[in-house]
Amino acid sequence: MSTGQAGGRGDPAPHASAKIGARERFELATARIPWTIKRIGVMVAIAAALVGAFSAVGFDTDWMRENWVKILWGGPDLLDGIFLTLIISVSAIALATLLALLGALTRISKSAILYTLSGFYTSFFRGTPLLVQIFLIYFAGAEVGKRLGDAGYESLRNIFTLDAVPAGILALGLNYGAYMTEIFRAGIQSVGHGQREAAEALGMNYRQLMRRVVLPQATRVIIPPTGNEFIAMLKDSALVYTIGVLEMFRLADLAGRRDFRSIEALVLAAAVYWLLTSIFTFFQVRLERRMSKGYVRAVEVGSGVRTTKIVSSSGQGSSGGAWGGDLPLATEVESAEEDPS
Amino acid sequence: MTRPTDGEVVVRVEELHKSFGHLKVLKGVDLEVHKAEVIVIFGRSGSGKSTLLRCVNFLEEPTSGTVEVDGIRLDPGHRTSAKKEQVRQLRIRTGMVFQQFNLFPHMTAIQNVIEGPVTVKGVPEERARAVGAEILDKVGLADKAEEYPIRLSGGQQQRVAIARALAMEPKVMLFDEPTSALDPELIGEVLAVMTSLATDMHMTMIVVTHEMGFAREVAHRMAFFHEGVILEEGTPDEIFENTRFPETRRFLDAVL
């Protein structure tokens, strides 16, 4: 082996007319198959492999047929399961967006008070585990409430004693808000200095400048990574399972363990998370396109390509598409506006 | 062109100094601009012309000296709330046109034009639109009102930027190398708009430019900037025909 590949294996030197190896034959044979067809083939193969693997372990489809409704919706409350997962995620991302906006504006602020406060906030919530934060707010928070209440501050008792769902939303919102603060800050700072100067030269004050000029442009940059955060949030919402919230993952886990059908239950839950994230990725891409208005220059109708994006969308772009690459990326041609057909 | 001598003073700059760190860019500039006067500031790049212009509307905070626009007098100093408001009042009376246009890319041409009046002055949108359409018409872009800046040529964008500044009904327009970022064939349309601004609308204008043809034709007065001071000032005739300074001569020979 030490002599290296060239002479060591005793292969004859390749001639132009040497006989074709299996690999090369395969490459030539598949060269003309359209790429999309190839991909469909691979997808079918993956699906077949999964079906094969599941049937090999005796996947209990009957159990699944009987229990999937209970897993997705079957808590004592109508809103348990998938709805609760969605409610928690949407509420938490709304809270996180608000916090991120405030956080970003204070991160770029000249005020020592605000700058330090938001620095403290982002540092703590980015520097500690989300699970610990959930426990801190739910369990430790309740104890704080109890001690304050016992000490005579009755009104504070209830403020710190949160139900599991609000506690989960608060923890997720605070945690994601800290990360998104950086996204928002970067988005705001991505707006060129000339834009601020133009707004200032018109006599705008800081508020007007932010609201009318900077934030609308920053939003374009902020949307793609925020979509990613929402998708991550959808998945991390499963963590509130630990404080007893009957969201989708907890219902699946309970049902699976009760009947010794964890494979079926967990695969179902995973599939639904996957489906949800795929759906949101789809909408995210459409939103990104809408936001590109004003950054798209028209090309002649009839060329097949109607518009060309000349400023590529910033941010990380979208990830999490079901099979990746299926979805039109922001840099692709064609706009969502005015379809001439 | 004859200089409107007895018009009131719209802009007055006194003993203006500006340093960036150790670099002294302006070393004591005095300037008076009268109503309806067009003054062209020229000189080598780095001589401080743009900085002077940016100090007039406090986009750049002067290190020392005084700026007065339409009776609003400002000294440099910490931007307290009261000071910020004064700066804002000064800017409302000052229109600025940038080298890089700096149009708002998320707004159409007409939205760019009415943004100042609606947001800053609180003009009702409908009235602002009517006025804005007239101004766009004046700069020859009535048909481009609904276009986004990216779909306009550089010359068109700069004309929209001029319209945007005009919509605020400023007492003075500041032009910071308005044609330097343009392809040569687009320069003419912008200069034509600026000329009509001067001759038809009698706008008070401070123009930093290398366009000596425009200066000769439109300016009432020219100021040669050299190493942070106005070295020489005079009518275009005086400057072009008998400048007293070899620095001015050399610069003119280089650009003409």
Side-chain angles (χ1 to χ4, degrees):
Chain A
M1 292 313 284
S2 61
T3 52
Q5 295 173 332
R9 293 201 305 217
D11 285 347
H15 297 293
S17 59
K19 63 179 174 193
I20 297 168
R23 176 173 180 166
E24 204 169 354
R25 265 206 307 279
F26 176 77
E27 284 171 356
L28 287 171
T30 55
R32 284 163 162 254
I33 303 173
W35 195 70
T36 316
I37 303 292
K38 285 182 191 169
R39 287 195 54 211
I40 291 172
V42 177
M43 286 182 205
V44 169
I46 293 173
L50 284 175
V51 169
F54 283 136
S55 49
V57 297
F59 201 75
D60 191 344
T61 46
D62 289 338
W63 182 88
M64 233 165 133
R65 209 172 296 127
E66 283 161 29
N67 287 278
W68 70 276
V69 175
K70 257 186 263 171
I71 289 173
L72 297 183
W73 285 281
D77 273 324
L78 190 67
L79 288 182
D80 287 342
I82 194 170
F83 287 128
L84 201 48
T85 290
L86 286 171
I87 288 168
I88 290 171
S89 304
V90 172
S91 314
I93 201 77
L95 175 62
T97 303
L98 188 69
L99 289 170
L101 183 57
L102 292 175
L105 289 176
T106 50
R107 282 316 272 169
I108 58 173
S109 143
K110 288 196 185 91
S111 155
I113 301 170
L114 296 177
Y115 180 83
T116 311
L117 273 176
S118 64
F120 172 76
Y121 161 64
T122 53
S123 175
F124 177 80
F125 281 95
R126 281 159 40 120
T128 53
L130 174 55
L131 194 55
V132 173
Q133 292 161 17
I134 292 173
F135 277 38
L136 270 175
I137 288 172
Y138 186 60
F139 295 120
E143 275 185 34
V144 169
K146 182 179 179 306
R147 289 181 201 181
L148 286 173
D150 292 349
Y153 304 103
E154 259 323 308
S155 54
L156 290 178
R157 185 194 293 273
N158 293 334
I159 291 177
F160 283 95
T161 314
L162 293 171
D163 285 339
V165 173
I169 292 171
L170 186 60
L172 283 167
L174 283 166
N175 181 275
Y176 273 70
Y179 282 98
M180 284 163 58
T181 290
E182 290 305 311
I183 293 174
F184 277 47
R185 185 190 54 73
I188 289 170
Q189 288 180 339
S190 76
V191 178
H193 197 63
Q195 289 292 309
R196 278 159 193 263
E197 288 194 340
E200 282 174 352
L202 285 177
M204 288 194 195
N205 60 30
Y206 184 76
R207 257 179 92 100
Q208 293 165 335
L209 173 159
M210 276 293 159
R211 201 168 52 81
R212 299 291 306 169
V213 176
V214 175
L215 289 180
Q217 295 183 62
T219 309
R220 232 184 94 256
V221 178
I222 289 169
I223 286 276
T226 297
N228 288 346
E229 291 296 305
F230 178 69
I231 285 160
M233 169 89 78
L234 206 59
K235 295 177 289 175
D236 274 352
S237 70
L239 284 172
V240 301
Y241 156 77
T242 53
I243 53 173
V245 177
L246 287 176
E247 44 69 61
M248 184 169 67
F249 172 50
R250 185 174 171 86
L251 289 180
D253 185 45
L254 291 177
R257 285 204 257 177
R258 185 189 60 219
D259 296 345
F260 212 64
R261 287 289 181 277
S262 279
I263 301 174
E264 290 77 3
L266 296 179
V267 164
L268 175 67
V272 174
Y273 279 116
W274 194 5
L275 182 70
L276 287 177
T277 53
S278 303
I279 291 170
F280 284 111
T281 307
F282 174 77
F283 284 114
Q284 182 197 349
V285 170
R286 304 205 26 149
L287 186 62
E288 269 173 44
R289 280 194 189 167
R290 262 181 63 97
M291 306 283 315
S292 66
K293 206 165 49 171
Y295 299 84
V296 176
R297 184 181 282 176
V299 176
E300 282 309 297
V301 176
S303 61
V305 178
R306 289 192 304 281
T307 59
T308 314
K309 189 171 216 100
I310 68 164
V311 180
S312 75
S313 152
S314 340
Q316 291 100 313
S318 4
S319 66
W323 293 86
D326 231 2
L327 298 153
L329 293 171
T331 42
E332 220 167 312
V333 287
E334 201 182 51
S335 89
E337 301 311 303
E338 54 224 355
D339 198 312
S341 56
Chain B
M1 253 185 236
T2 49
R3 176 182 164 193
T5 36
D6 29 61
E8 57 185 290
V9 175
V10 178
V11 177
R12 178 179 283 127
V13 172
E14 289 168 9
E15 259 310 289
L16 202 69
H17 289 260
K18 173 68 185 177
S19 308
F20 295 101
H22 292 297
L23 182 68
K24 292 193 173 103
V25 179
L26 300 182
K27 300 169 185 167
V29 177
D30 294 279
L31 185 70
E32 269 185 12
V33 185
H34 295 259
K35 195 171 158 77
E37 192 181 18
V38 176
I39 175 160
V40 162
I41 297 175
F42 67 113
R44 253 180 295 163
S45 59
S47 58
K49 333 179 277 296
S50 286
T51 305
L52 170 67
L53 213 57
R54 294 164 55 82
C55 280
V56 169
N57 69 353
F58 271 66
L59 282 183
E60 219 67 81
E61 178 95 24
T63 307
S64 67
T66 309
V67 175
E68 188 182 323
V69 175
D70 191 35
I72 297 192
R73 214 176 145 79
L74 270 177
D75 305 309
H78 182 69
R79 295 268 174 106
T80 58
S81 302
K83 181 111 189 177
K84 277 183 197 160
E85 179 54 26
Q86 269 190 310
V87 169
R88 217 173 60 80
Q89 289 301 330
L90 181 142
R91 285 174 177 161
I92 289 174
R93 290 158 173 75
T94 315
M96 177 101 175
V97 176
F98 299 89
Q99 186 178 349
Q100 300 295 339
F101 330 138
N102 293 348
L103 287 180
F104 306 131
H106 58 301
M107 299 179 188
T108 60
I110 185 77
Q111 285 170 340
N112 265 282
V113 173
I114 68 172
E115 184 57 33
V118 171
T119 300
V120 177
K121 286 185 161 176
V123 176
E125 184 166 338
E126 241 168 83
R127 210 173 79 217
R129 268 187 183 273
V131 176
E134 269 174 45
I135 298 174
L136 275 180
D137 192 34
K138 252 179 227 159
V139 300
L141 290 173
D143 54 329
K144 300 287 183 189
E146 301 303 330
E147 295 284 13
Y148 283 94
I150 202 167
R151 293 169 71 156
L152 301 174
S153 72
Q156 291 170 334
Q157 288 193 44
Q158 193 61 299
R159 286 188 280 155
V160 174
I162 293 171
R164 176 176 68 177
L166 281 178
M168 290 295 283
E169 300 176 327
K171 300 291 182 197
V172 56
M173 288 276 285
L174 312 176
F175 292 86
D176 186 6
E177 302 202 28
T179 56
S180 298
L182 294 174
D183 290 338
E185 78 270 20
L186 302 176
I187 291 175
E189 60 190 71
V190 172
L191 291 180
V193 166
M194 290 166 62
T195 305
S196 113
L197 222 64
T199 53
D200 305 338
M201 293 173 67
H202 306 293
M203 177 60 75
T204 313
M205 293 160 63
I206 307 178
V207 185
V208 170
T209 186
H210 295 295
E211 294 295 330
M212 290 300 122
F214 171 83
R216 190 193 286 270
E217 218 176 290
V218 182
H220 303 108
R221 201 152 45 109
M222 296 176 69
F224 178 64
F225 234 81
H226 186 71
E227 294 179 350
V229 294
I230 294 177
L231 188 68
E232 181 179 10
E233 221 187 290
T235 64
D237 274 350
E238 288 165 354
I239 296 286
F240 285 117
E241 309 311 333
N242 17 210
T243 168
R244 294 158 291 160
F245 292 86
E247 289 88 348
T248 316
R249 189 69 265 159
R250 232 177 290 135
F251 179 84
L252 286 175
D253 287 343
V255 296
L256 284 177

